[in-house]
Amino acid sequence: MLNLILLSVIVCGAVESRGNQKKLLKDISNKLIQLDEKLSDVQQKIESIEDRLGDSCTGTWHLGMNINPADGHIFGYTVGWATGNDIGKSEEALTKDYLSANVWVLPASYIAIVRHQQGVVDAVKVFKFKVLGESLSIRFGLPRMNPGRQIVTFGGPIQESIASDAENLEDDPIFSVGGDLAFNWAYSDNGCRIALTGGHLSEADVNDDNTHGLGNHFGVNPLTNTIVDNQWTHDISNIQDCPLQTCTNVRVQGTDHGSGPHLKSGPVYGNYAIYVSRTADKFPEPGFKLGLEIEV
């Protein structure tokens, strides 16, 4: 009799357990159906946002700097980049050397380097920064100059547009080489503010005067922004292999350079403007007339 009672209890327990399991499975199934419906709603909202945004991001480009290599003002390694002080006038922003203190402190995720002829786009490269939202003031400031030598973008240019009739491209410091942007390139007693990784980047302890780009000086403490010998400052040097030990003919654009005998004045390929944006990743094509701000 006892055995029959125990068997009855076990069977009833098993039946009840199977009933609970079925109820639990049904509850889980209902919750999964509800979750799937919510995920479907979320996906539709994401697709709606993507449709509104399109393939590229809109926004405003702000002019941070313009370099004219023949206006009588030298934009070397130590001038303006680290301090971010205003240079020039807004009405001459695209014809002479210019720096906007207000733009220098704006958060920036994209940078465009634009070669232009009297304010008309000749060639442009757009890059996306590795670190988003930092200002040029931070990127070129004293804390970043020691040790310097930062590769600040990745994947190369996300846009490269060059006019069909653009000239002097064979050794242009921005448009004749590929790669990413290198900032604050310090090597021995030399510095270059903007170079491309597709050009020659000198080793930190090599005094070869052979990294070329925008904002250069061959006689400076590049870690502290201190001038050692001012005769070697220069705005723009073209891509070339001219190491100090064997070469005495450094080709620079225009006449804005120090009196160092190795620095040789040359043709001006254009003005070089630096624009930044928080959100815009496309820049107007060659032929566009530039301004202090550009909506895209």
Side-chain angles (χ1 to χ4, degrees), residues 35-287:
L35 180 60
D36 186 62
E37 291 174 349
K38 290 180 179 178
L39 288 174
S40 179
D41 290 341
V42 171
Q43 181 62 33
Q44 289 177 2
K45 290 178 180 178
I46 291 173
E47 290 174 355
S48 176
I49 292 172
E50 289 177 341
D51 288 341
R52 290 198 300 271
L53 288 177
D55 294 330
S56 62
C57 296
T58 60
T60 304
W61 288 101
H62 304 273
L63 177 63
M65 176 181 283
N66 186 70
I67 303 175
N68 179 337
D71 70 340
H73 175 271
I74 302 177
F75 240 141
Y77 188 87
T78 62
V79 178
W81 303 86
T83 61
N85 295 331
D86 279 321
I87 294 174
K89 303 174 182 179
S90 59
E91 57 267 27
E92 299 176 328
L94 291 162
T95 58
K96 296 183 179 180
D97 284 358
Y98 173 80
L99 188 152
S100 169
N102 290 332
V103 173
W104 219 244
V105 297
L106 290 180
S109 298
Y110 300 91
I111 181 171
I113 300 182
V114 187
R115 195 180 86 175
H116 63 94
Q117 311 296 334
Q118 298 179 338
V120 177
V121 177
D122 190 34
V124 57
K125 281 186 178 181
V126 177
F127 299 85
K128 185 175 183 178
F129 283 119
K130 288 180 180 178
V131 178
L132 305 181
E134 286 188 344
S135 67
L136 295 179
S137 177
I138 292 174
R139 300 180 194 275
F140 289 115
L142 280 170
R144 294 289 174 84
M145 291 168 58
N146 188 358
R149 303 172 63 84
Q150 296 98 11
I151 309 300
V152 298
T153 63
F154 66 97
I158 59 177
Q159 177 188 345
E160 181 174 1
S161 304
I162 300 175
S164 59
D165 59 350
E167 300 178 350
N168 299 310
L169 295 173
E170 63 279 355
D171 60 352
D172 185 285
I174 305 299
F175 299 99
S176 71
V177 289
D180 282 293
L181 295 181
F183 281 8
N184 308 313
W185 203 258
Y187 60 108
S188 186
D189 63 347
N190 312 284
C192 176
R193 285 294 184 175
I194 299 180
L196 270 84
T197 58
H200 175 73
L201 297 179
S202 303
E203 296 296 328
D205 59 349
V206 174
N207 182 21
D208 62 358
D209 294 3
N210 206 24
T211 294
H212 303 286
L214 309 181
N216 309 277
H217 204 133
F218 292 159
V220 68
N221 183 332
L223 308 182
T224 64
N225 212 41
T226 305
I227 296 172
V228 176
D229 187 345
N230 207 37
Q231 69 175 328
W232 299 107
T233 182
H234 51 293
D235 279 10
I236 301 172
S237 57
N238 296 326
I239 297 300
Q240 59 201 289
D241 184 21
C242 186
L244 173 64
Q245 293 75 14
T246 59
C247 180
T248 59
N249 185 30
V250 179
R251 301 190 309 276
V252 303
Q253 289 191 34
T255 54
D256 289 349
H257 58 80
S259 59
H262 295 183
L263 302 177
K264 307 300 183 182
S265 299
V268 174
Y269 296 176
N271 279 213
Y272 291 76
I274 298 173
Y275 284 84
V276 292
S277 178
R278 184 66 183 267
T279 58
D281 61 359
K282 299 292 184 185
F283 199 88
E285 295 291 317

Side-chain angles (χ1 to χ4, degrees), residues 3-57:
N3 289 338
L4 289 173
I5 293 171
L6 290 173
L7 179 60
S8 177
V9 170
I10 291 171
V11 170
C12 289
V15 171
E16 183 178 356
S17 176
R18 284 197 298 273
N20 290 338
Q21 289 176 353
K22 287 181 179 180
K23 184 176 183 301
L24 179 61
L25 289 173
K26 185 176 181 180
D27 290 342
I28 292 173
S29 177
N30 289 334
K31 289 180 179 178
L32 286 174
I33 291 172
Q34 294 173 2
L35 180 60
D36 186 62
E37 291 174 349
K38 290 180 179 178
L39 288 174
S40 179
D41 290 341
V42 171
Q43 181 62 33
Q44 289 177 2
K45 290 178 180 178
I46 291 173
E47 290 174 355
S48 176
I49 292 172
E50 289 177 341
D51 288 341
R52 290 198 300 271
L53 288 177
D55 294 330
S56 62
C57 296

